[in-house]
Amino acid sequence: MSSHALPTVVDPAVYIIHDNPEWIVPFTEALDRLGVAHVEWLLPETTIDLTAEPPQGLFWSRLSASAHTRTDPHVKEYGRAILDWLAAAGRRIINGRGVYELEVSKVRQHRELTARGFDVPRTAAAFGAEALTEAAATSTPPFITKHNQGGKGLGVRRFDSHAELAAATEEFAPGGANAPIDGITLIQEYVQPAQPFITRAEFIGGRFHYAVRVDVSGGSFELCPADACEIPRAGADDSAPQSPFVRREDITAQTPLIGRLEALLTDLGIEIAGIEFIETADNRQVVYDINTNTNYNPSVESGEQSEGRQPAVDRIAAYLAEALASSESPSPAASLTP
Ligand SMILES: Nc1ncnc2c1ncn2[C@@H]1O[C@H](COP(=O)(O)OP(=O)(O)O)[C@@H](O)[C@H]1O
Ligand SMILES: [Mg+2]
């Protein structure tokens, strides 16, 4: 086997396809606690043999929209190719090919939400930087820009006037500080939260797991729930920094919006997701981001543990274990294969 071939094991295992080893540790630890075999597939600089069958097992795509900021500009294409190959071989994929297209396109997310009657921010897409000011022409400031292929707040900036945007368009051109990887920048209505927080609802196996409120009073648009992004709050007691991520007990599986989001996920075949929304002073619940990856916030997760509730990483490991076990039961088609 060449040094670039993706690793495989003989017995069925959970294969995690991803673009950032740092984010995977909590999941592999949770799988280890359950004794479930797992293999990581980090795509850049690897090969697949298209004449060979993929290994037996369950495949979980943890590919993220922001991969190009960490590794290689073409991860999206590697992901598309490998998910196509696995799907063609009939492998069971969690968050598979169609889900990946949604992850990497806010235009597509917006369309799916709109089609189901969700309240979404008014949005226009600009293809190329020169089209940005025209895309914004009918929007009333303040508005924000964001990259179509986003994640971690890429390209998210607030503009309080058309002139301010006109002065910044170069940033969004190829080579500029804010250039979108796919050339598409969205201009979006700025949605003012009633209180300075957004909410991110987590779903596992298509079902609601918990919702987290994320404090946005600092004005940052880069909301990374992972450990690396947890910043001690200025002015707070230094010995006990208050986390900007807190579980919302008032959002439950019975909340009407949550039920509608579960139906959307079922419809689109999304098994694991974190969906963000803003509640406004005039009682709108505006949904603006569908993430098919979450790096669960460590302080929320340990709070769940102390409350005797199952942390999200453990729920995911259990879900993967169940899906692996059912992908192993021979189907009639498989038994005909020599
Ligand atoms: N339309 C909006 N109005 C107000 N704030 C927004 C809006 N869209 C995004 N934000 C803020 O910017 C953050 C990042 O935007 P988001 O669409 O979630 O992109 P990403 O995929 O990069 O996370 C959000 O979590 C939220 O705090
Ligand atoms: Mg987001």
Side-chain angles (χ1 to χ4, degrees):
M1 190 188 279
S2 89
S3 60
H4 292 283
L6 285 163
T8 60
V9 290
V10 176
D11 291 328
V14 172
Y15 287 84
I16 308 173
I17 306 166
H18 68 91
D19 51 68
N20 188 356
E22 285 175 30
W23 289 347
I24 303 303
V25 179
F27 301 107
T28 54
E29 288 177 351
L31 286 167
D32 286 340
R33 288 194 287 276
L34 294 183
V36 177
H38 52 83
V39 179
E40 290 182 45
W41 278 6
L42 185 59
L43 301 184
E45 301 305 334
T46 60
T47 69
I48 52 172
D49 179 355
L50 297 180
T51 60
E53 279 281 302
Q56 293 299 331
L58 170 77
F59 296 81
W60 175 30
S61 166
R62 274 273 318 179
L63 294 167
S64 72
S66 59
H68 57 283
T69 64
R70 286 179 296 276
T71 52
D72 175 320
H74 303 302
V75 174
K76 183 165 74 177
E77 299 310 326
Y78 309 155
R80 285 172 167 161
I82 204 149
L83 294 175
D84 279 343
W85 177 62
L86 293 169
R91 293 296 181 272
R92 167 90 167 90
I93 310 172
I94 291 189
N95 282 6
R97 185 68 175 80
V99 175
Y100 190 40
E101 291 304 323
L102 199 74
E103 166 74 12
V104 297
S105 171
K106 290 192 190 297
V107 166
R108 196 177 277 242
Q109 294 169 24
H110 191 270
R111 206 183 64 214
E112 298 292 0
L113 290 164
T114 307
R116 290 165 183 80
F118 287 93
D119 195 341
V120 291
R122 183 176 191 281
T123 304
F127 301 156
E130 283 178 26
L132 256 182
T133 47
E134 202 174 311
T138 55
S139 300
T140 311
F143 43 75
I144 60 170
T145 52
K146 60 172 76 170
H147 290 179
N148 179 51
Q149 185 181 336
K152 63 176 218 184
L154 289 177
V156 182
R157 263 191 70 178
R158 175 181 161 146
F159 291 91
D160 290 305
S161 71
H162 291 280
E164 200 189 317
L165 176 68
T169 52
E170 275 303 298
E171 276 180 36
F172 295 86
N178 244 329
I181 185 77
D182 64 0
I184 305 177
T185 303
L186 308 187
I187 293 280
Q188 192 161 85
E189 161 197 3
Y190 175 77
V191 180
Q192 178 72 53
Q195 306 288 327
F197 65 83
I198 64 102
T199 300
R200 178 155 166 151
E202 298 296 348
F203 299 84
I204 301 169
R207 309 312 301 264
F208 178 70
H209 192 73
Y210 58 51
V212 171
R213 57 179 275 173
V214 186
D215 185 336
V216 293
S217 57
S220 168
F221 292 122
E222 189 165 326
L223 303 174
C224 170
D227 215 3
C229 305
E230 199 144 338
I231 305 153
R233 318 299 312 288
D237 175 2
D238 287 346
S239 62
Q242 194 207 329
S243 171
F245 297 84
V246 180
R247 156 105 188 213
R248 267 191 82 170
E249 304 284 350
D250 59 324
I251 302 281
T252 69
Q254 280 66 51
T255 304
L257 178 67
I258 296 298
R260 293 177 62 209
L261 290 171
E262 284 182 340
L264 166 112
L265 296 177
T266 304
D267 222 17
L268 296 173
I270 305 174
E271 292 172 78
I272 299 174
I275 302 184
E276 293 173 32
F277 61 91
I278 291 174
E279 287 159 315
T280 67
D282 55 351
N283 289 321
R284 292 170 67 196
Q285 287 176 309
V286 183
V287 184
Y288 62 86
D289 191 21
I290 301 176
N291 304 274
T292 58
N293 282 303
T294 293
N295 301 305
Y296 300 98
N297 181 261
S299 79
V300 173
E301 289 277 275
S302 61
E304 292 299 283
Q305 187 90 54
S306 9
E307 293 291 326
R309 297 188 289 224
Q310 190 176 33
V313 292
D314 291 320
R315 176 72 197 109
I316 289 206
Y319 186 70
L320 295 173
E322 286 159 26
L324 176 63
S326 43
S327 74
E328 281 176 55
S329 11
S331 66
S335 62
L336 294 175
T337 311

